[in-house]
Amino acid sequence: MLESYDPRAVEREAQDFWVGRRSFEVGEDAGKPKYYCLSMFPYPSGKLHMGHVRNYTIGDVLTRYYRMRGYNVLQPMGWDAFGLPAENAAMANKVPPAKWTYDNIAYMKAQLKSLGFALDWTRELATCRPEYYKWNQWLFTRLFKKGLAYKKTGVVNWDPVDQTVLANEQVIEGRGWRTGAVVEKREIPMYFFRITHYAEDLLATLDKLPGWPEQVKLMQKNWIGKSEGVRIGFECGKEILWVFTTRADTLMGATFCAVAAEHPLAVQAAQKNPELKKFVEECRKGAVMEAELAQVEKKGMPTGLHVTHPLSGEKLPIWVANYVLMGYGEGALMAVPAHDERDLEFAHKYNLPVKQVVQHPPGDPTAHGTLINSGKYDGLGYPQAVDAIAADLAKKGLGEKQVQWRLRDWGISRQRYWGTPIPIVHCAACGDVPVPDEQLPVLLPEDVVPDGTGNPLNKRASYVDTKCPSCGKPAKRETDTMDTFVDSSWYFARFACPGQDKSMVDERARYWMPVDQYIGGIEHAILHLLYSRFFTRAMRDEGLLPGMAEPFTNLLTQGMVLAESYYRDVGSRREWINPADVSIEKDSKGKIISAKTRDGRDVVYDGIGTMSKSKNNGVDPQALIDQYGADTARFYTMFASPPTNTLEWSDESVDGSYRFLRKVWDFAYKFSRASCAASADRKIRYQIHLELKKANDDIERQKFNTVASACMKILNALEELPEWDETSREGLSILLRLLSPIAPHVTHHLWRELKFGEDVMRAPWPDPDPAALEQDEIELVVQVNGKLRGSIRVPKAADRAAIEGLAMANPNVQKFVAGQNVKKVVVVPGRLVNLVV
RNA sequence: GCGAAGGUGGCGGAAUUGGCAGACGCACCAGACUUAGGAUCUGACGCCGCAAGGCAUGAGGGUUCGAGUCCCUCCCUUCGCACCA
């Protein structure tokens, strides 16, 4: 065997071996338990980033581990290939999005292969291929016929200069990213998926997902946002203003009503009131983003209209307020300033009355309590008050209990080219007609270069002009495409069915689904995961996935990979400098005091955040692979932190990972030339098996950083052996197997070189030997008043009295208890003794 | 603003159940080997202190024989907020 570690040669050799044996291609096998391990597929942005390396290494470690544990493991890979960046690249480089995307896929596929992931490439898919998106279209037509897909108007960001719809990320501080024009809200017709049909089930089933992080389940629960309340009608002349509230108990404290600027009452009132019209129009300026809306200063204007309080008969003014959202509830609310912080802020600003009606604990006006100043309802608690008030309202026909959801239906229309065409034909006579199955897929032309002014499909007569599938007369094709979240909502099921062109999925999906382990970034905790859960239900009800509701049994949400970012302002333009090109100076506390580029110009430190193209702070993993090899890149990303933590990038510590793999090689090299004694070393063997026991626990709880450090500890222990013996051989074979899921290439090579077997991946996973873990004596820590004062060795079977005696006899312990009364002795078996004086 | 998570040496992190805080590694420091060292090996390495010892897990308070871990208040960072993926 070679004396020194050459990652390049070792990795090529191992990868050739796997390809030659088709090691990762799997089929259905009734003889083994199946394990479907899936990492979120990448958007083909150009090259892999650190988040990908981390994500796919986590999946690969699990895949290789479960294979060695005897499971039939599927780990596929594909491309989330539709999306906005391809159109942006097209505008910048005058290249069709299709070509740009396919080129990126080719490059990134080579990168993934160089990292040695155990992927079944025979199942590769790209969502921009007709054979994939055909089934988006097919399912859309099914849902459309059932009413689960439907058309209504939705609000979008409109750039008045480019005459185009903007994505939220294309709106910067309320202005269009290319034109700088103030963005307006515009209502346009769109298609929606009726995800709210499944709201109750999506919420209730969260409790049956023990393999999901509590954090994610809680976020989804809050997002779905079931609230039980009362719908209350306020008479306004001949009309009724309906509001929804979860605090009907505070109805007697309502001092005004507020409606959204888009509310029909506001629009109507604005027609006769130029000042109000101006205000309503002002509310239409700016982006649709909720985060932005929530932070704008609360503003309002009276409509001049009044409503009648349904119980007191009092006249209350109606205001238009920019903090009322048209999309939630009725787009209107009753304001109770005394018991709602936002209403209070608004009331103070505009001098509106505040009337306390609930006796609340001091300092918490929004807490439930007993009613006061509420006439006949005085003295009631929250539930009784709500019941009584709802009943009285019901008698007048002005209220009823209602369940309200925060979850909205999913708008899937995008006024963009690079996505799945929505399979609808608009016919003057027949209306919106879904494209029949035999005419699917509606093909997206691939030779288009968008220019940023609207959807280029609109300008293609050959695409738009068609015949109505229903009556055969000339008609227009829908030019909107689907949200790319549609593509990623079912790809996991499609991976089970390569080559299937007769149906969306087939019976093979019943073998592989659900995904046993899904791995991806925490940033997908809500939308992607919720949409996938919705799709699985919709497909189930279409007969495609019988009996299945939940697509992902276990979910691992990896933390984001963060890096520092730096910029400098050049005129009005902000230039972002890659951290690799910045040298920094830190003070003794580690705070950055100055940052300069290589040529000595000052740059501004902008803090730490997600690696992103816009801040140019990405670290290219390719440089890491080129310099150290794939095994080091994999080992480092596992060792650096547990998968669920954020990972703050530092290239300084990569060296240590490389050094460790080299040490493994050096040890194996020396072993290959040594002759071993037949004896074993009890003490070192104990250490190795103890580390193995902990490492096996850590793999099960997905803490791969401590598995990596267990490998280091085992090697450190082996190096302490006074001579080559059976413990060296056993320890090395354990080390190579334990390390193989993380660093598969070097362990593959050494396993064969040392004649442990032909293929480490097919070796059984090591389990600790109980005999090696047996000990006659154990060490106990002795504390006095909770402070460490010494330690004692006691026989394993020692009783309490013997332990107390030994603890008291310890000289250092004596120093602290001498002459004092020992009031209490706490003995924690196997751990410690605490003497309280 | 709302929802969620996190904060431990100079740095990444460990401590699985309330029981030895800082495993393992990086950086730094000292030494050995060497023509050389950005290689390798040995040692030291939280802070204060000559030592005994004391202090220390974002800040402040509480529960407990014992708190990084549980409870309360506050501060900071990251993620999501429905057209980025």
Side-chain angles (χ1 to χ4, degrees):
Chain A
M1 104 178 243
L2 289 173
E3 191 177 344
S4 60
Y5 173 41
D6 175 5
R8 208 173 292 259
V10 166
E11 288 173 11
R12 197 182 310 114
E13 173 207 279
Q15 287 166 16
D16 287 349
F17 179 93
W18 297 327
V19 170
R21 305 252 174 147
R22 302 178 159 211
S23 292
F24 310 132
E25 294 175 25
V26 290
E28 298 73 47
D29 179 350
K32 285 182 186 172
K34 69 98 185 175
Y35 187 86
Y36 183 0
C37 182
L38 182 68
S39 296
M40 290 179 185
F41 66 165
Y43 178 79
S45 55
K47 52 189 179 184
L48 293 184
H49 55 69
M50 275 304 162
H52 292 130
V53 175
R54 194 182 191 202
N55 196 172
Y56 302 139
T57 303
I58 294 167
D60 205 48
V61 168
L62 287 166
T63 293
R64 289 172 179 274
Y65 170 69
Y66 279 100
R67 284 187 68 131
M68 290 173 75
R69 282 287 192 195
Y71 288 78
N72 185 33
V73 183
L74 168 60
Q75 187 183 221
M77 183 53 70
W79 308 95
D80 190 11
F82 275 137
L84 198 53
E87 298 198 21
N88 296 339
M91 284 181 244
N93 311 320
K94 308 268 183 281
V95 180
K99 181 179 168 19
W100 182 83
T101 302
Y102 292 129
D103 287 351
N104 287 348
I105 287 175
Y107 183 76
M108 290 170 74
K109 185 173 177 180
Q111 284 191 302
L112 286 175
K113 288 192 165 179
S114 78
L115 281 158
F117 297 131
L119 294 164
D120 182 353
W121 282 106
T122 65
R123 294 164 186 269
E124 180 182 6
L125 60 80
T127 56
C128 64
R129 301 287 310 161
E131 60 268 24
Y132 185 84
Y133 67 71
K134 171 183 175 174
W135 300 108
N136 288 344
Q137 297 174 339
W138 179 85
L139 188 72
F140 176 93
T141 62
R142 293 306 116 131
L143 298 182
F144 188 78
K145 286 168 195 164
K146 276 185 174 176
L148 285 174
Y150 66 97
K151 188 155 110 175
K152 69 168 182 183
T153 59
V155 189
V156 294
N157 302 304
W158 179 257
D159 185 322
V161 173
D162 263 351
Q163 294 283 299
T164 193
V165 175
L166 297 178
N168 281 339
E169 77 157 6
Q170 296 173 317
V171 179
I172 294 147
E173 284 161 17
R175 291 168 182 273
W177 65 326
R178 279 153 53 88
T179 63
V182 173
V183 169
E184 295 165 14
K185 298 183 188 73
R186 177 172 277 215
E187 286 202 35
I188 57 168
M190 303 198 338
Y191 290 92
F192 286 80
F193 282 152
R194 204 180 296 277
I195 189 173
T196 52
H197 174 75
Y198 292 99
E200 188 78 62
D201 185 30
L202 287 167
L203 178 69
T205 319
L206 285 173
D207 291 335
K208 295 176 195 156
L209 285 172
W212 279 41
E214 288 306 319
Q215 172 196 5
V216 174
K217 288 191 277 187
L218 194 53
M219 282 196 263
Q220 292 219 350
K221 187 182 167 210
N222 292 337
W223 184 264
I224 295 168
K226 181 179 186 176
S227 45
E228 291 171 29
V230 180
R231 185 170 178 254
I232 301 177
F234 288 78
E235 282 171 297
C236 176
K238 276 171 275 171
E239 292 174 49
I240 295 177
L241 175 67
W242 289 100
V243 305
F244 173 80
T245 179
T246 56
R247 291 301 304 271
D249 60 319
T250 63
L251 176 56
M252 298 310 283
T255 55
F256 62 101
C257 284
V259 298
E262 299 88 351
H263 193 280
L265 265 180
V267 176
Q268 191 193 319
Q271 280 167 3
K272 295 170 230 152
N273 182 341
E275 219 176 321
L276 184 63
K277 190 168 184 193
K278 217 175 122 200
F279 177 70
V280 167
E281 268 162 25
E282 198 191 307
C283 290
R284 296 183 70 91
K285 299 264 181 191
V288 299
M289 271 177 278
E290 203 170 290
E292 207 156 290
L293 290 174
Q295 279 171 86
V296 298
E297 192 195 349
K298 285 178 189 49
K299 278 189 196 165
M301 189 170 275
T303 57
L305 301 169
H306 287 77
V307 290
T308 309
H309 191 290
L311 296 179
S312 70
E314 227 179 314
K315 293 280 175 207
L316 305 180
I318 305 179
W319 283 64
V320 178
N322 63 354
Y323 72 98
V324 181
L325 301 175
M326 196 56 213
Y328 183 73
E330 305 282 347
L333 54 83
M334 65 170 202
V336 187
H339 305 292
D340 182 284
E341 279 174 35
R342 286 173 310 173
D343 295 347
L344 184 64
E345 193 188 322
F346 194 84
H348 279 157
K349 181 163 180 173
Y350 295 104
N351 248 332
L352 292 156
V354 178
K355 184 183 168 197
Q356 185 181 350
V357 291
V358 175
Q359 191 66 54
H360 52 74
D364 189 3
T366 60
H368 293 170
T370 307
L371 265 61
I372 52 173
N373 301 329
S374 300
K376 65 186 260 207
Y377 307 107
D378 280 358
L380 296 178
Y382 172 78
Q384 297 84 0
V386 171
D387 285 348
I389 288 171
D392 287 347
L393 289 170
K395 275 181 227 152
K396 301 184 176 192
L398 289 175
E400 59 194 337
K401 285 203 173 178
Q402 196 187 40
V403 173
Q404 185 71 44
W405 303 88
R406 208 186 75 95
L407 180 68
R408 309 199 290 261
D409 277 338
W410 173 14
I412 60 151
S413 294
R414 298 291 179 269
Q415 297 66 43
R416 268 183 255 298
Y417 152 69
W418 190 234
T420 302
I422 292 178
I424 289 282
V425 172
H426 302 292
C427 170
C430 310
D432 290 358
V433 182
V435 176
D437 291 0
E438 61 276 12
Q439 290 176 32
L440 293 178
V442 176
L443 280 175
L444 187 71
E446 291 199 345
D447 58 347
V448 172
V449 183
D451 61 6
T453 61
N455 184 347
L457 291 175
N458 284 322
K459 297 166 198 159
R460 277 216 171 195
S462 61
Y463 183 83
V464 176
D465 293 330
T466 185
K467 280 185 185 137
C468 171
S470 189
C471 67
K473 289 191 190 130
K476 300 282 186 196
R477 203 178 277 294
E478 170 66 52
T479 57
D480 279 359
T481 54
M482 293 185 200
D483 181 3
T484 56
F485 273 125
V486 174
D487 309 324
S488 54
S489 291
W490 67 284
Y491 75 108
F492 40 87
R494 184 69 188 178
F495 274 136
C497 317
Q500 176 56 262
D501 63 354
K502 299 287 184 291
S503 64
M504 192 167 181
V505 293
D506 59 39
E507 67 285 351
R508 289 173 292 174
R510 268 166 249 166
Y511 172 83
W512 287 111
M513 288 294 291
V515 173
D516 293 278
Q517 180 67 64
Y518 195 39
I519 305 145
I522 183 68
E523 70 274 20
H524 293 291
I526 297 176
L527 292 181
H528 163 61
L529 291 169
L530 193 62
Y531 292 153
S532 298
R533 297 179 64 217
F534 160 63
F535 249 64
T536 304
R537 285 163 171 76
M539 288 171 75
R540 173 197 63 196
D541 293 347
E542 208 49 57
L544 295 161
L545 296 169
M548 192 157 301
E550 291 298 335
F552 313 123
T553 307
N554 294 291
L555 175 68
L556 192 164
T557 46
Q558 63 160 352
M560 309 286 290
V561 180
L562 309 180
E564 291 161 338
S565 55
Y566 304 89
Y567 67 85
R568 81 180 145 218
D569 287 326
V570 185
S572 65
R573 210 166 50 88
R574 179 156 290 186
E575 186 189 348
W576 293 91
I577 317 288
N578 195 281
D581 302 322
V582 174
S583 58
I584 51 175
E585 208 181 310
K586 294 184 178 181
D587 66 15
S588 59
K589 288 193 179 113
K591 284 255 186 269
I592 293 174
I593 47 176
S594 91
K596 292 181 193 307
T597 53
R598 293 256 164 75
D599 53 20
R601 285 182 292 175
D602 283 333
V603 293
V604 183
Y605 173 57
D606 190 52
I608 196 151
T610 322
M611 287 188 181
S612 73
K613 211 168 193 174
S614 60
K615 289 200 173 179
N616 186 24
N617 62 342
V619 174
D620 185 2
Q622 197 58 48
L624 193 62
I625 298 166
D626 292 345
Q627 191 180 350
Y628 296 100
D631 280 338
T632 296
R634 295 170 58 120
F635 187 91
Y636 175 69
T637 51
M638 291 302 95
F639 179 62
S641 78
T644 51
N645 278 26
T646 54
L647 175 68
E648 286 178 31
W649 184 255
S650 128
D651 12 48
E652 285 172 338
S653 19
V654 177
D655 258 338
S657 297
Y658 182 61
R659 198 175 302 161
F660 168 68
L661 295 182
R662 218 164 44 205
K663 275 169 74 176
V664 173
W665 182 284
D666 292 345
F667 187 83
Y669 174 74
K670 284 183 237 152
F671 175 82
S672 74
R673 299 164 67 89
S675 55
C676 291
S679 58
D681 183 303
R682 179 117 199 253
K683 200 173 138 234
I684 302 287
R685 188 157 188 262
Y686 169 77
Q687 286 177 27
I688 290 169
H689 283 260
L690 190 66
E691 279 308 323
L692 175 60
K693 184 175 186 298
K694 283 196 260 178
N696 282 352
D697 286 348
D698 288 343
I699 289 190
E700 292 291 338
R701 52 184 199 118
Q702 301 173 337
K703 300 281 183 203
F704 307 120
N705 55 327
T706 50
V707 176
S709 72
C711 291
M712 292 175 158
K713 288 181 193 174
I714 289 174
L715 182 62
N716 289 348
L718 284 171
E719 284 179 332
E720 276 174 36
L721 282 168
E723 57 171 350
W724 297 101
D725 64 5
E726 278 309 307
T727 303
S728 319
R729 180 184 305 281
E730 187 199 18
L732 190 51
S733 105
I734 288 172
L735 172 61
L736 291 178
R737 282 176 288 167
L738 193 57
L739 181 59
S740 68
I742 302 176
H745 306 89
V746 66
T747 49
H748 169 87
H749 180 90
L750 295 176
W751 188 258
R752 288 167 66 82
E753 195 74 70
L754 301 180
K755 310 275 191 294
F756 283 122
E758 197 195 15
D759 188 356
V760 67
M761 210 171 63
R762 293 174 197 279
W765 189 260
D767 278 310
D769 175 5
L773 293 172
E774 295 231 346
Q775 281 198 109
D776 311 327
E777 265 196 337
I778 52 173
E779 189 175 289
L780 291 184
V781 160
V782 185
Q783 298 178 337
V784 178
N785 285 345
K787 292 206 163 111
L788 176 66
R789 297 302 180 195
S791 72
I792 51 173
R793 292 193 70 83
V794 299
K796 205 172 75 178
D799 64 9
R800 203 189 149 99
I803 290 169
E804 276 182 37
L806 276 164
M808 290 296 287
N810 181 290
N812 197 52
V813 170
Q814 267 303 314
K815 222 164 96 185
F816 288 91
V817 296
Q820 294 181 80
N821 216 7
V822 177
K823 290 183 224 151
K824 188 173 175 184
V825 181
V826 181
V827 177
V828 183
R831 287 192 188 272
L832 58 70
V833 184
N834 189 16
L835 307 173
V836 184
V837 297

